[in-house]
Amino acid sequence: MRKLFSVGSPLLLGWFLILLLSSFTYGQESKGLIAGYVSDISGAALKGARIQVLPLSVGGITDSVGSFSLPEIPGGHYTLTVSFVGFETSRQEIDLRPGQTLNLNITLNVSKQSEQILVTAERAHGEADAVNVTRTADNIIQSLPAEVITSLPNANVADALGRLPSIVLYRDEGEGEYIQVRGTEPRLTNITVDGITVPAPEPEVRQVRLDVIPSDLVESVQINKTLSANQDADGIGGSVNLITKAAAEHPTMNIFTDGGYTPIMNGRYTGETGGTYGQRYGKNKKLGLLVSGSFDYNGRGIDNIQPSIDPYSTFAQPFYDNDTIRQYRYYRYRSGVDGTADYKLNENTSFSMTGIYTDLKDWGDKWYYEPVSNALPSTGGTPSTKLQAPKFYTSSKRPNASIGSMILNGRHFNNNSWITVTLSASRSYEVDSAGNPKADFSWNTTKLNCNYNPADQYDVYRPTFGSCDQAGSPLENAADWSFKDITISKGLVAELDLTGALSYARNYTANGHFGTFEAGFKFANNHKSQDSTEIVYDGSTNTLPNETMSQLQSGFENTDFYNGSYFGGRFGPVSDFNKVQSWVLSPVSSGGLGGPTGPYVDAYKTALDNSPNIFHYVEQIPAWYAMNTIDFGRFHLQTGLRFEDTRMSTYGAYLNIDPNATTPGTTQTTPTGACTSSTQQNCYTVSNVTGNPTYLDVLPSLQLRYRLDNESDIRLVVA
C-alpha cells in the first residue's frame, strides 16, 4: 500500500480542483450516440480498435467483443475513422441528428503491405491486438492475447508472462511461479481476474502463485505498470489482470491436446488437453454462453548430487568432505475451468456472470543418501581412514492449491452516462500447507570406510566417494537403516474475499473537448486463516522398536541413475513415506508408535512448528475514488484520487521459551509450563497474540499521453 499525501495536503486540494473543474462544463444542446461493432473480413471481433469522430476531439476503443459506444455527440456531419494495427484505416461520412442513436457495423480490410504475413501467420493477429490495447489504454500496460499465449509451450500464466520485457520469473521445479515487474518484489504485484483481486492460496504471502492457473484459460493477460484511480492500490510494482473469455458474435469451438516423454527415472511423461466452446443464442443474440476447460499432467524426475568442497583441504585435487546423492520425483496435476454467461436486456442494459476455478496438485517425493558426514575431521590421518555414519532422508509432499472466483456484473447506459454494479466472491485454499513432511533413517551398523581418495577426483562434475557411492555400496542394504524420526504435517489455509462495487461515469464536452468523469465506491471484506499442525516423532534419545527400512520399503528404484555414475546406475532401495507414517500412527499394541498420544511425540519441537501455523485475520477496506479523463488535441489527460481505509483484526499463536531454560536440546524434562529449575530444557508456553491496526491511504495519480502520430505516443505518469 502507498501513503503519499495526508488528507490536509495542499497538493490534495489541487487534485480535487483538477477533477472538478474539468468535469463541470457540459454542452446544453441535445446530443446523440454513435455505437457499433468492428470486425475483420471473417467476422471476428477486433478489440482495441481506435475510433475517432472528426473534426471533434472525440474517440474511444472497442471492447473485448469488438463493440464501442460514443455518447454525448452533438448533431452534425462527421468523418468516423477506425484504425487497427495491420488493417487499413476505415473512413466514412456520417450524419447524426440531435438525440439520434446511430448503430454501425464496420469491417476492416487487411492492409496490403502485411496481407501475406497475416494470412499465413495467425500469431500476427494476436500481436496486433496487444499493440492496439497498449496504444489506446489510459495507463501504461502490456497485453498478452490468447493467440500469443497458446502459440508457445507455456505451462501456466507465469510462464507466459515471463516472455514479456520487464518481467522476471521466480521458478520452482522448472516452472514459473511468481513474477517480478520491473525488478520489484513479487509481493508488490497484485493479481486480478476481470478487475477483481484474487487471494493467494499460500499462508505466508499475499502474492498469488500463478502456476496454479493454466495458460489457456484466459482470453488475454494485461500487466498494468501504472494504476488508475479505479484500480485497487495493492500493486505498487504492477497489477496483472487476467481477462476471461466471453462469447463473441460467431460460434467458437477449440479443442487441443499435446504430450511429451523423457527417459529419466525409468520414463516420465507430460500431457495436456483442453477446449473452449461459446455461442450467442436467441433471435437477437442477446444471450451469450461460453465454457473453457484445461487439464495437464507433468511428470518430472531429477537425478541430483550436491557435493561440498572442503575449503581448507591441502590436497592437489578437490577434497569433497560431504555429498548427498538425491532423487526427486514430481507429479503435477493442474486443471481449470471457467465460464461466462452474459445477457443483453436491451441496447442500454446488460448483465454478466463469470466464474473461474483452478487447481494444482504439486506433489513430489525426495530421497537422498549422504555417504560421508559433514563432521569429517579436518586434521589427522588420511581421508580414506575416516569412519563416518551415513544418513538417509525421505520427504513426501502433497500440497493442493486452488483459486476460484465468481463475479456478477451489471451495466446500464443512459444516453451519455452509465452505472456499473459488481458483486464478487473469491476463495483460495491450500491443503497440507504447513512444513515439510519428512522421515529420517540412521545407520545401525559399523561406521563406514569409503576408501576415499582425493586423487580419484578427475571429474569435478562427478565427484566420487570410493566404495560408498559405487555399485554394490553397503548404503543400498535396507536392513542397515533404522527409523530415527518423522515429521507429519496436516492442515488447511484458506481465504475468502467478498467485494461489492458501484461506479458512475459520464461523458461530457467542455469547450469542445471530449471527456469522461467517473466516481465509485468499493467495499472488500477479506478473511484468511490457517489451522495446520506438524507433529514430530523423535526417538533419538529413547529405545525404539526395531523397525528398519526393510519393513518400510518402497517399490521404487531408478535403474539408470545419473547415467550410471553412482551406485552402478541403480538408486534404491528407498523408504515409503506412507508406510512410515502408517506405522508411526498405529497403536503401540500393534507394533506402532502410538500416534499423537504415543511416547515418542516431541512436544517441544511440535509446539515450535505449530505456533506459526495457527492464525486468522479479517481485513476490511472501504475505498472511494474520483477520476477524470479529457482530450486536448493530441493530449490525453487522466487525473484521479483514491482513498483506501484499511481496518484489520488479527489473531495468532506465540511460542514463548522460558528464559530460565538452558539451550533447547533433546532432553524433554518439562514439556509445558515454566521451568522449575535452571537446568531444565525445552520449557515453553503458548500465548495468543491479537491486533487491530487501521490506516488511511490517500492516492493521487496523473497520467498524460501525447500522440505523436497514429502509431506513436509519449507518456508521463505521476502517482
Side-chain angles (χ1 to χ4, degrees):
M1 306 291 285
R2 300 167 293 173
K3 185 175 292 186
L4 300 181
F5 298 99
S6 64
V7 175
S9 169
L11 287 178
L12 177 59
L13 179 59
W15 289 108
F16 270 123
L17 292 176
I18 292 175
L19 290 169
L20 296 177
L21 292 177
S22 60
S23 60
F24 275 169
T25 306
Y26 301 98
Q28 300 300 316
E29 69 273 19
S30 178
K31 306 295 178 63
L33 171 69
I34 302 175
Y37 172 77
V38 180
S39 63
D40 60 18
I41 56 176
S42 68
L46 295 178
K47 59 183 178 183
R50 174 178 286 169
I51 316 296
Q52 289 183 292
V53 180
L54 302 177
L56 300 178
S57 58
V58 174
I61 61 172
T62 55
D63 59 20
S64 60
V65 294
S67 298
F68 69 92
S69 178
L70 301 175
E72 195 71 8
I73 307 296
H77 180 80
Y78 304 106
T79 300
L80 184 74
T81 68
V82 182
S83 61
F84 191 93
V85 172
F87 289 79
E88 293 182 350
T89 299
S90 168
R91 293 179 174 83
Q92 57 179 290
E93 303 296 315
I94 60 173
D95 290 296
L96 180 69
R97 299 188 304 273
Q100 179 188 10
T101 297
L102 185 62
N103 288 298
L104 303 170
N105 287 324
I106 302 169
T107 301
L108 298 186
N109 295 314
V110 177
S111 64
K112 296 178 181 179
Q113 62 268 28
S114 58
E115 183 173 0
Q116 183 178 0
I117 296 175
L118 288 169
V119 170
T120 59
E122 181 182 356
R123 183 182 175 190
H125 189 285
E127 291 177 335
D129 286 348
V131 171
N132 279 281
V133 171
T134 299
R135 71 170 184 161
T136 56
D138 292 329
N139 56 333
I140 299 176
I141 71 172
Q142 286 180 287
S143 180
L144 199 64
E147 292 91 336
V148 178
I149 295 174
T150 57
S151 67
L152 296 170
N154 299 306
N156 60 61
V157 169
D159 282 341
L161 290 172
R163 302 182 186 277
L164 291 173
S166 77
I167 302 299
V168 176
L169 284 185
Y170 173 86
R171 294 186 179 274
D172 181 32
E173 299 162 12
E175 286 190 21
E177 185 174 17
Y178 302 115
I179 66 169
Q180 295 177 264
V181 180
R182 293 176 297 181
T184 58
E185 300 176 51
R187 67 184 180 89
L188 300 179
T189 299
N190 191 34
I191 307 297
T192 63
V193 172
D194 292 334
I196 301 298
T197 299
V198 294
E202 294 178 291
E204 303 93 352
V205 297
R206 283 182 178 265
Q207 66 263 25
V208 176
R209 52 180 301 181
L210 292 174
D211 58 346
V212 179
I213 305 173
S215 61
D216 52 278
L217 274 192
V218 297
E219 175 65 23
S220 64
V221 181
Q222 292 180 355
I223 301 179
N224 295 269
K225 295 185 176 180
T226 62
L227 300 181
S228 298
N230 59 356
Q231 295 175 284
D232 291 338
D234 296 18
I236 298 176
S239 180
V240 177
N241 188 30
L242 310 179
I243 301 175
T244 57
K245 301 175 182 179
E249 292 295 314
H250 299 276
T252 299
M253 185 169 69
N254 174 41
I255 299 175
F256 69 90
T257 186
D258 57 53
Y261 173 83
T262 176
I264 198 169
M265 278 183 61
N266 309 319
R268 306 289 285 164
Y269 71 92
T270 64
E272 180 181 18
T273 186
T276 299
Y277 179 77
Q279 186 175 347
R280 303 204 69 85
Y281 297 89
K283 181 179 179 181
N284 297 317
K285 297 184 178 181
K286 289 187 175 183
L287 175 63
L289 299 176
L290 182 140
V291 63
S292 181
S294 174
F295 173 81
D296 73 87
Y297 169 79
N298 193 336
R300 293 176 180 267
I302 302 175
D303 298 345
N304 175 263
I305 61 169
Q306 296 191 16
S308 176
I309 297 179
D310 187 342
Y312 304 105
S313 171
T314 59
F315 293 99
Q317 292 79 19
F319 176 29
Y320 296 92
D321 64 0
N322 178 265
D323 185 28
T324 57
I325 302 173
R326 308 185 180 207
Q327 183 77 82
Y328 296 83
R329 179 177 66 180
Y330 294 120
Y331 327 75
R332 282 198 165 200
Y333 303 87
R334 181 173 26 241
S335 59
V337 61
D338 67 357
T340 301
D342 67 274
Y343 184 75
K344 298 178 180 178
L345 188 63
N346 51 50
E347 290 295 328
N348 298 323
T349 306
S350 62
F351 303 93
S352 67
M353 179 175 66
T354 301
I356 184 171
Y357 176 81
T358 62
D359 181 87
L360 173 65
K361 295 177 175 63
D362 185 14
W363 295 354
D365 300 311
K366 177 176 70 175
W367 303 277
Y368 78 68
Y369 290 97
E370 186 177 334
V372 181
S373 169
N374 58 11
L376 184 68
S378 59
T379 60
T382 61
S384 62
T385 64
K386 305 305 178 189
L387 304 182
Q388 302 299 322
K391 300 177 182 179
F392 177 81
Y393 165 102
T394 182
S395 173
S396 180
K397 62 173 187 175
R398 295 294 186 267
N400 184 185
S402 179
I403 297 172
S405 186
M406 180 68 70
I407 305 169
L408 302 176
N409 189 279
R411 177 171 293 187
H412 175 71
F413 288 90
N414 183 18
N415 193 16
N416 64 342
S417 64
W418 60 95
I419 297 176
T420 303
V421 179
T422 303
L423 299 174
S424 67
S426 299
R427 186 175 187 266
S428 68
Y429 70 82
E430 187 172 37
V431 178
D432 293 345
S433 58
N436 182 30
K438 67 181 184 68
D440 294 307
F441 285 77
S442 59
W443 190 247
N444 62 19
T445 186
T446 305
K447 291 184 178 181
L448 289 179
N449 183 348
C450 295
N451 300 312
Y452 174 79
N453 187 352
D456 294 335
Q457 307 308 316
Y458 55 87
D459 186 349
V460 296
Y461 298 105
R462 288 176 169 81
T464 62
F465 286 80
S467 60
C468 288
D469 58 19
Q470 300 305 302
S473 169
L475 298 179
E476 295 188 298
N477 185 356
D480 291 340
W481 296 100
S482 293
F483 170 79
K484 179 184 178 183
D485 57 50
I486 187 173
T487 300
I488 298 176
S489 300
K490 296 293 180 183
L492 172 70
V493 58
E495 180 172 353
L496 176 63
D497 293 356
L498 303 176
T499 62
L502 173 67
S503 66
Y504 170 82
R506 178 183 178 90
N507 288 333
Y508 66 90
T509 54
N511 297 323
H513 301 290
F514 183 78
T516 302
F517 177 79
E518 180 179 343
F521 171 78
K522 179 180 180 180
F523 181 81
N525 187 91
N526 310 324
H527 182 201
K528 188 165 191 171
S529 63
Q530 179 175 241
D531 186 6
S532 301
T533 60
E534 278 192 324
I535 301 178
V536 181
Y537 300 84
D538 188 351
S540 59
T541 60
N542 299 279
T543 302
L544 287 172
N546 186 20
E547 200 77 9
T548 68
M549 191 189 297
S550 300
Q551 289 80 41
L552 304 171
Q553 188 173 331
S554 167
F556 169 80
E557 68 174 31
N558 186 354
T559 57
D560 187 28
F561 178 81
Y562 217 102
N563 301 126
S565 300
Y566 295 89
F567 299 140
R570 175 182 175 272
F571 188 97
V574 296
S575 61
D576 185 321
F577 184 87
N578 291 328
K579 287 184 179 180
V580 179
Q581 178 176 271
S582 178
W583 170 67
V584 166
L585 297 179
S586 298
V588 175
S589 59
S590 61
L593 293 189
T597 60
Y600 299 108
V601 176
D602 189 317
Y604 173 77
K605 290 182 180 178
T606 297
L608 192 66
D609 290 341
N610 282 347
S611 296
N613 295 326
I614 300 175
F615 70 86
H616 73 80
Y617 68 80
V618 176
E619 181 182 54
Q620 296 180 332
I621 308 176
W624 305 262
Y625 74 89
M627 184 174 70
N628 188 74
T629 305
I630 191 167
D631 290 314
F632 298 98
R634 292 178 177 267
F635 289 95
H636 182 83
L637 174 66
Q638 182 192 85
T639 56
L641 184 65
R642 185 179 183 90
F643 299 87
E644 289 196 355
D645 184 15
T646 303
R647 309 167 187 178
M648 297 188 69
S649 175
T650 64
Y651 164 85
Y654 176 73
L655 181 70
N656 182 36
I657 301 175
D658 194 296
N660 295 321
T662 58
T663 303
T666 57
T667 303
Q668 197 165 309
T669 308
T670 307
T672 59
C675 290
T676 58
S677 72
S678 61
T679 61
Q680 289 181 330
Q681 298 177 333
N682 303 335
C683 311
Y684 65 89
T685 57
V686 178
S687 58
N688 297 332
V689 179
T690 60
N692 297 282
T694 62
Y695 51 92
L696 173 67
D697 286 312
V698 181
L699 308 163
S701 63
L702 179 149
Q703 306 196 69
L704 178 66
R705 183 180 75 214
Y706 177 74
R707 180 167 51 86
L708 298 174
D709 53 44
N710 286 335
E711 311 301 334
S712 307
D713 56 46
I714 299 175
R715 295 174 183 261
L716 171 68
V717 178
V718 180

